[in-house]
Amino acid sequence: MSVSARPLAAVPDTEADPAALGVVPSRHPWRWVGVAVVLVLLAQFVHGLVTNTGWDWPTFRQYFTADSILRAVGVTVQLTAYGTVLGFALGVVLALMRLSKSPFLQVVSWTYVWAFRSIPLIVQLLFWFNIAYLYQRFDFGVPFGPSFVSFDTKDLIGPMSAAVLGLALHQAAYAAEIVRSGVISVDHGQLEAAAALGIPRLRQFRRIVLPQAMRSILPNAANEVISLFKGTSVVSVMAIGELFYQAQVIYGRNARVVALLMVATVWYIAMTTLLSVAQYYVERHYAKGALRNLPPTPLQRVRAQYAVLRAKVAR
Amino acid sequence: MVDLRGVHKRFGTLEVLKGVDLRVDTGEVVVVLGPSGSGKSTLLRTINHLEKVDQGYVSIDGDLLGYRRAGNRLHELKEREILKQRTHIGFVFQNFNLFPHLTALENVAEAPLSAQRRTKAEVRTAAVRLLARVGLSDKEDAYPRQLSGGQQQRVAIARALALHPKLLLFDEPTSALDPELVGEVLDVIKDLARTGTTMIVVTHEIGFAREVADRVVFMDGGVIVEQGPPGDLLDRPTHPRTRAFLSKVL
């Protein structure tokens, strides 16, 4: 279509000034349909939560902040914290071993990951729980020779330390692979540049490689922490008073199964939400330099919109 | 100062360097020319031991690079010692390899901070001065991704200078740049050449070679085919392969 073919009357004087042309944003009617459908479904669900007496909200309220439940939340958080810190500390060491130039360290690391990924977590936990049955005493001394110090296994490893040990050792195998994947995703040129500048190996890793690797480590690591947080419910097999175990104990007594499962669920959701928010901000921290300009945080966005709204009202 | 003797380098079955001898004196500027695949970049990388040599050796001021000589044997050095040797050699990469999570100033300060010979404040002042020297005083706090290619390469040059190297190596420093940005980087390198820095530059910029080089080396097929002052080599090449190459690029 050529411009000259159009009747002149239909082309206003904007022809002379292209900047005066108005822009009509494209419309998305189906989005509104989708929103309506989802809102109706959501309303039905909330209505059900409120009206269905099966949810038993009074019992929920009674137990949600009960001392025993709060203590159990504490144990769950503790297990997650120990599992994460010890697991990732060992995981970083294992990843470095695997990435080192020493074939010996590579084999050791690979074998560890192979072994601890092969055995189900619940089996590992039961094994640590029952270790006193296998090895009654721990002796430190000459191998196959006399011992200098000796400990009773039962004194050394109680149920809680067995749980932490099991979770951390299991977590380390996965953490090692996550850290390794992050490190190998860093451009090789970065290592060459660091090597050409004569930066010592450990500092190369700490200052150059790790901060860049964090970009791809973090989403996976957050996944692991969150799944560990809920995964701690596995240690209920060892009769440790964590959240899920405590909920079970209580509904075993009063038979309010749904209400107590909801107590545990809401706690799990609340803590996971906290972790997810933390993840957002930590990821943002490590994004500096990777993006030209960081996108605004949700809080900054809300503030900006509020400012715009106020300006409109003022006019 | 720099002395390469019979340097051989193989990648698998491919022999990239087939016995290279090259001597560079203190303060000399040597430009290495040659078609792609001729081994120029590999040669440069063997000089700071980013590539191990398979035969022959590289020495700087009489010190072997990457090895210690005991009688008739060369003992491989530990990585820590090799890293220390590299602090005397600045290297500028084709694609900059700046650290993207550090600002321009932090990029320049990183190596001197890790060498721990000076205080933080001293390192910072020196880094500020180096950035000013490459004309980027206003970009101290910019991240590499916020800089143009030419600016990034100038930061990379400042970074390479931060340890006061005896020798500077440039691996096609302008090949990844838009044509209009080449000039600003070459100007910085020319400036360094005038101040008597010893350097070896691999490049395709014939005009730069003519203007700055004390000596031009032409490589092809993993060997040095011909070398001499730029006037001689660029205008009156004696070897047919040099002539063929120059006729294509001039």
Side-chain angles (χ1 to χ4, degrees), chain B residues 145-161:
Chain B
R145 237 158 277 213
Q146 296 164 331
L147 300 173
S148 74
Q151 291 170 333
Q152 287 189 49
Q153 191 61 300
R154 285 188 280 152
V155 174
I157 293 172
R159 181 175 73 171
L161 289 170

Side-chain angles (χ1 to χ4, degrees), chain B:
Chain B
M1 179 193 183
V2 184
D3 194 2
L4 278 76
R5 295 283 178 87
V7 169
H8 287 254
K9 177 69 194 177
R10 264 178 297 273
F11 291 116
T13 54
L14 181 72
E15 193 167 29
V16 186
L17 296 177
K18 300 171 182 165
V20 175
D21 294 289
L22 179 69
R23 305 184 68 153
V24 179
D25 291 326
T26 305
E28 201 181 6
V29 177
V30 172
V31 169
V32 183
L33 298 177
S36 57
S38 58
K40 356 181 247 314
S41 282
T42 308
L43 180 74
L44 209 61
R45 292 161 62 85
T46 59
I47 297 178
N48 76 344
H49 211 70
L50 278 180
E51 304 288 357
K52 254 185 224 173
V53 296
D54 295 320
Q55 229 179 80
Y57 66 81
V58 179
S59 75
I60 291 181
D61 282 344
D63 293 330
L64 283 180
L65 237 92
Y67 300 96
R68 183 170 46 82
R69 187 168 178 169
N72 267 338
R73 282 170 199 271
L74 296 180
H75 295 270
E76 229 177 280
L77 289 180
K78 294 258 189 260
E79 189 170 352
R80 186 193 306 257
E81 297 161 298
I82 295 173
L83 285 167
K84 212 164 184 186
Q85 289 186 323
R86 289 209 189 102
T87 59
H88 302 301
I89 308 166
F91 198 101
V92 176
F93 294 87
Q94 182 178 348
N95 33 20
F96 331 137
N97 286 339
L98 288 180
F99 306 130
H101 60 299
L102 301 179
T103 63
L105 194 71
E106 289 168 337
N107 263 281
V108 178
E110 181 57 30
L113 281 180
S114 77
Q116 289 174 341
R117 267 173 266 165
R118 288 173 287 166
T119 66
K120 262 190 183 168
E122 285 170 339
V123 167
R124 210 195 119 86
T125 332
V128 167
R129 210 174 302 135
L130 277 170
L131 279 180
R133 186 166 171 192
V134 297
L136 291 172
S137 285
D138 52 334
K139 298 291 183 191
E140 284 168 13
D141 298 322
Y143 286 100
R145 237 158 277 213
Q146 296 164 331
L147 300 173
S148 74
Q151 291 170 333
Q152 287 189 49
Q153 191 61 300
R154 285 188 280 152
V155 174
I157 293 172
R159 181 175 73 171
L161 289 170
L163 289 169
H164 306 297
K166 299 184 210 169
L167 168 70
L168 271 179
L169 305 172
F170 291 87
D171 187 8
E172 304 198 21
T174 57
S175 297
L177 296 177
D178 290 339
E180 79 270 23
L181 301 177
V182 169
E184 64 183 59
V185 171
L186 290 184
D187 285 344
V188 170
I189 304 176
K190 279 178 205 165
D191 191 47
L192 288 171
R194 270 194 291 273
T195 58
T197 316
T198 313
M199 38 197 213
I200 305 176
V201 187
V202 169
T203 186
H204 293 292
E205 301 287 332
I206 306 289
F208 171 80
R210 191 186 296 278
E211 191 182 339
V212 179
D214 297 314
R215 178 156 45 115
V216 178
V217 171
F218 176 71
M219 276 186 79
D220 193 14
V223 292
I224 292 177
V225 175
E226 179 173 5
Q227 52 181 309
D232 291 353
L233 189 125
L234 296 174
D235 300 327
R236 293 175 295 280
T238 52
H239 202 283
R241 274 197 280 176
T242 320
R243 250 175 272 154
F245 173 76
L246 288 174
S247 71
K248 266 182 257 165
V249 294
L250 279 178

Side-chain angles (χ1 to χ4, degrees), chain A residues 191-203:
Chain A
L191 280 178
E192 277 198 337
L197 288 167
I199 298 171
R201 276 286 286 225
L202 200 65
R203 192 178 165 102

Side-chain angles (χ1 to χ4, degrees), chain A residues 29-95:
Chain A
W30 284 105
R31 278 189 199 166
W32 292 107
V33 177
V35 169
V37 170
V38 169
L39 280 179
V40 169
L41 288 173
L42 194 65
Q44 279 185 305
F45 179 66
V46 172
H47 180 255
L49 281 182
V50 175
T51 54
N52 188 339
T53 51
W55 290 107
D56 196 4
W57 294 113
T59 313
F60 173 89
R61 217 168 302 128
Q62 182 193 339
Y63 282 104
F64 187 64
T65 51
D67 277 350
S68 59
I69 289 292
L70 289 182
R71 233 177 295 123
V73 171
V75 173
T76 293
V77 169
Q78 225 180 340
L79 284 171
T80 310
Y82 283 137
T84 302
V85 172
L86 296 176
F88 272 86
L90 183 56
V92 168
V93 173
L94 285 166

